[in-house]
Amino acid sequence: LGFSQAASNKIVSPEHAGKFGHLIVQTYDGRFEPIHTLAFDVMHKISRKDKFDAELKGGTVDAMQVFIDLIIDPTYWKSQKIIYVREKSVQKVLGTDGYASFNDFFDKDFHYKLADYTEAAFRKNPAKQNVFDKDIIKVNERINLFLSLFQGTMLKIFPAQYSKNNLWLNYDDTLARMPLTGSMSIINDDLQLKVFSYSNLFDLYFQTVYEALQTNDYTKADKLVEYIENIQRESTSGPILPSKSQVKYEIYYNKAKIFENLRNVYGVLSIIMLFLAFIENLRSKKSKWIRITLNVFIAVLGIAFLCHTWGMGLRWYLTGHAPWSNAYEALLLVAWGGILAGFCFMRNSKITLAATVLLAFAMLMTAGHSSYDPQLTNLQPVLKSYWLILHVAAITISYGFLGLSFVLGLMNMVIYLFKSKANNERLDLLIKELTFINEMNLEIGLFLATIGTFLGGVWANVSWGRYWGWDAKETWALIIVVAYAIILHFRLVPKLKGKFIFNVSSIIGFGSVLMTFIGVNYYLSKGLHSYGAGDTPIFPV
């Protein structure tokens, strides 16, 4: 673009950036989503931040503003340290700390500093790539994303004319330079472009934005955004585009950061509720004020649980499929199922409810790890079945109950450590209570895991023409059922029916869940269930 080399000490207003963010863009995997979502996801992948310091442009700006300004003023942003580099060894190669600028990746002769390292990393078998190789690959991906941003190639906002397969174009595409015909050409009665094409329309839009930076009048730019939106809605892709309501709610979802905030809420609540619940159970005389305070925090947890449910329901509405189709969403469901388990046993034990909050915090904290992608995505074809709702929900919610069993087992082990002659009788009663609840909880978890495994066999027959094939995921799902069935039957074996052995077993048994969820998904994912895999973490993590 002709104005792209001209520096500016201003940045597009958040109001206009918000309007531009409501336009639809087609992503690399074919999903139609608001530009705001693309900007949010890409900028977070590049820098792991949603807000950026731009001293020469008026202070703190958001991802949407940066997304637009990268096209208008790439020279400025190439010098800003916004590209995240985690590993010290990679930082040393670049000669920077923590964050690097685009320019830091090139020497004085404009040679890419990571070229040799990137080539060596990609040549290695993924199983043999070390931490340095993994980070080199991730940093290289961030550089390519950054390059795509200021080149505008990610902005596939124009529907190809007369396309039968919903092809969309960026402004620099060859087809984007073709003159527009039909009803869309009416727009040029107002614009008066010599050649009315997507490329020229895009060029005109950013020229008006650049002028608005000087005059602070975005009237023309806003009008062009409306024209582009009309073109999108009236295209052949119109019926499958997200509605204006979905666009609005998706932008709300991006800004609300529901699960990030819930992680923090669950973390604080777990500490407070565990402390109060233990005090209430260990005191010889019950305190009215402790009970009231604990009930207040239980009410707060109830509100948080409703927000958790709302967040998952919102993901379902925005993606059009049940929100447990990948590892990130499965962790959200495990956390949700864990708290549901806690509320099931709330009348019997407040400690159990507090333990589920700790479990939910751990799950959401794990979901925030870089190996898990929170991005809203299309559903993979193999998962387009109502069995996704039944099979995956039953299996994943069972992990929440089995995870609670693991936490209760750990808590009982801690209580054993604090036993003494003075508190022996009181702590024995507490251990007995928690063990009894642990057993009931484990029974529910085993029931759900068994039903989920059975339903998985039925789905396998529908999809692959056989009920069971000893796929790694299938095998380990069966191992979970067998392992917990054995643990529950310890009570029938004279020398194995004690509370201590049961609690230790509930801790060890959770290893089968971890192996199924992490080991199979990341290290044994070459079977038919490989769609559940993600980026393999360096072991051990």
Side-chain angles (χ1 to χ4, degrees):
L1 298 177
F3 52 84
S4 62
Q5 298 300 319
S8 171
N9 60 357
K10 294 183 180 180
I11 196 167
V12 64
S13 72
E15 292 78 18
H16 179 74
K19 291 179 181 178
F20 186 75
H22 277 72
L23 292 177
I24 306 297
V25 64
Q26 187 179 46
T27 63
Y28 71 95
D29 64 350
R31 181 174 188 259
F32 291 107
E33 64 184 24
I35 291 179
H36 186 278
T37 298
L38 178 66
F40 182 92
D41 289 339
V42 171
M43 293 309 301
H44 197 270
K45 285 180 179 178
I46 290 173
S47 63
R48 301 186 68 80
K49 294 192 292 188
D50 306 317
K51 298 287 184 180
F52 302 86
D53 293 325
E55 294 181 6
L56 296 180
K57 291 179 177 286
T60 303
V61 294
D62 63 27
M64 193 64 242
Q65 291 173 283
V66 176
F67 190 85
I68 297 176
D69 205 56
L70 268 164
I71 300 175
I72 295 176
D73 191 6
T75 303
Y76 172 81
W77 289 105
K78 285 180 182 179
S79 65
Q80 300 305 299
K81 294 186 180 294
I82 62 173
I83 301 173
Y84 178 65
V85 183
R86 185 185 65 180
E87 290 299 319
K88 296 283 185 183
S89 51
V90 182
Q91 294 174 13
K92 188 175 180 180
V93 173
L94 297 173
T96 186
D97 295 322
Y99 283 88
S101 69
F102 181 82
N103 293 336
D104 287 334
F105 287 84
F106 300 88
D107 60 24
K108 60 182 180 181
D109 296 319
F110 301 105
H111 294 143
Y112 185 42
K113 293 180 182 178
L114 301 184
D116 294 337
Y117 301 106
T118 303
E119 185 179 353
F122 276 114
R123 281 181 177 177
K124 290 184 181 179
N125 186 298
K128 294 182 179 180
Q129 290 171 350
N130 56 28
V131 175
F132 178 79
D133 295 326
K134 292 278 187 180
D135 205 51
I136 282 289
I137 291 172
K138 287 186 177 180
V139 170
N140 185 68
E141 181 186 1
R142 294 184 191 116
I143 281 292
N144 287 326
L145 285 173
F146 189 89
L147 193 63
S148 298
L149 282 181
F150 66 73
Q151 289 179 340
T153 55
M154 277 191 178
L155 274 176
K156 292 185 176 182
I157 60 174
F158 297 115
Q161 283 194 100
Y162 314 116
S163 173
K164 296 180 180 179
N165 58 352
N166 298 309
L167 174 68
W168 281 38
L169 316 167
N170 66 63
Y171 80 95
D172 201 35
D173 195 288
T174 303
L175 292 176
R177 299 191 184 97
M178 300 294 291
L180 297 172
T181 58
S183 59
M184 283 190 290
S185 59
I186 298 174
I187 295 175
N188 202 38
D189 293 342
D190 178 34
L191 302 181
Q192 295 297 308
L193 291 169
K194 290 184 179 179
V195 178
F196 182 53
S197 66
Y198 286 143
S199 183
N200 288 342
L201 177 60
F202 188 85
D203 196 354
L204 177 63
Y205 166 70
F206 273 98
Q207 285 179 17
T208 59
V209 170
Y210 188 70
E211 291 169 4
L213 290 175
Q214 319 307 319
T215 63
N216 206 31
D217 181 5
Y218 287 88
T219 305
K220 292 181 181 179
D222 289 344
K223 190 174 184 180
L224 284 170
V225 168
E226 290 178 10
Y227 280 145
I228 295 173
E229 183 178 13
N230 289 337
I231 289 173
Q232 292 181 338
R233 294 289 175 185
E234 293 174 10
S235 69
T236 54
S237 303
I240 65 172
L241 297 183
S243 66
K244 291 185 178 182
S245 174
Q246 285 177 307
V247 169
K248 182 182 72 173
Y249 276 112
E250 187 160 333
I251 292 175
Y252 159 78
Y253 177 85
N254 296 337
K255 293 179 178 180
K257 300 179 185 177
I258 297 171
F259 299 108
E260 286 184 36
N261 292 325
L262 279 174
R263 176 194 62 200
N264 300 331
V265 171
Y266 288 152
V268 173
L269 284 177
S270 64
I271 296 173
I272 296 173
M273 290 179 67
L274 280 171
F275 176 76
L276 291 174
F278 270 112
I279 293 296
E280 184 185 43
N281 277 271
L282 295 177
R283 283 173 61 96
S284 56
K285 187 178 180 181
K286 300 296 182 183
S287 170
K288 176 184 176 182
W289 293 110
I290 289 179
R291 188 179 72 254
I292 292 173
T293 305
L294 187 55
N295 286 335
V296 168
F297 283 106
I298 290 174
V300 173
L301 175 62
I303 295 171
F305 181 67
L306 290 176
C307 291
H308 195 141
T309 307
W310 159 250
M312 295 189 68
L314 195 54
R315 282 187 75 97
W316 194 329
Y317 171 64
L318 297 175
T319 60
H321 60 78
W324 42 82
S325 63
N326 56 42
Y328 174 81
E329 292 178 340
L331 287 169
L332 301 184
L333 186 59
V334 171
W336 184 88
I339 294 181
L340 177 64
F343 278 118
C344 289
F345 299 108
M346 180 178 67
R347 294 185 64 183
N348 303 90
S349 171
K350 299 295 191 297
I351 293 180
T352 302
L353 181 59
T356 64
V357 186
L358 181 62
L359 173 67
F361 167 69
M363 291 299 101
L364 294 189
M365 187 170 66
T366 305
H369 191 271
S370 59
S371 295
Y372 297 98
D373 191 351
Q375 194 171 333
L376 298 168
T377 58
N378 287 332
L379 189 64
Q380 296 194 40
V382 70
L383 296 176
K384 290 182 178 179
S385 169
Y386 61 87
W387 289 106
L388 172 69
I389 300 175
L390 301 175
H391 162 63
V392 179
I395 286 283
T396 309
I397 292 175
S398 77
Y399 293 167
F401 281 84
L402 299 178
L404 175 57
S405 176
F406 167 74
V407 174
L408 290 175
L410 284 178
M411 289 175 64
N412 273 331
M413 291 300 101
V414 173
I415 295 171
Y416 271 113
L417 293 175
F418 285 94
K419 284 181 68 175
S420 64
K421 290 183 178 179
N423 62 21
N424 186 63
E425 186 176 347
R426 195 178 308 149
L427 291 186
D428 265 345
L429 285 173
L430 181 57
I431 290 172
K432 185 177 180 180
E433 174 189 309
L434 292 179
T435 303
F436 179 65
I437 292 171
N438 192 359
E439 186 176 339
M440 291 192 297
N441 171 76
L442 204 152
E443 287 172 352
I444 297 173
L446 177 59
F447 173 77
L448 288 171
T450 305
I451 292 296
T453 304
F454 174 80
L455 293 175
V458 177
W459 188 7
N461 184 55
V462 173
S463 299
W464 303 319
R466 79 331 179 247
Y467 288 98
W468 196 266
W470 297 105
D471 182 80
K473 192 82 168 182
E474 295 171 344
T475 303
W476 277 95
L478 179 61
I479 289 173
I480 290 177
V481 174
V482 173
Y484 279 99
I486 292 172
I487 292 170
L488 276 176
H489 283 80
F490 277 170
R491 60 188 175 184
L492 303 178
V493 182
K495 292 185 178 181
L496 296 176
K497 64 180 181 181
K499 295 187 291 294
F500 182 83
I501 291 178
F502 177 81
N503 284 290
V504 170
S505 300
S506 69
I507 295 171
I508 297 173
F510 194 62
S512 62
V513 177
L514 293 176
M515 182 62 197
T516 305
F517 192 80
I518 299 174
V520 174
N521 279 349
Y522 291 102
Y523 297 98
L524 302 174
S525 56
K526 293 182 180 180
L528 291 170
H529 289 81
S530 59
Y531 52 79
D535 296 331
T536 305
I538 299 299
F539 183 85
V541 176

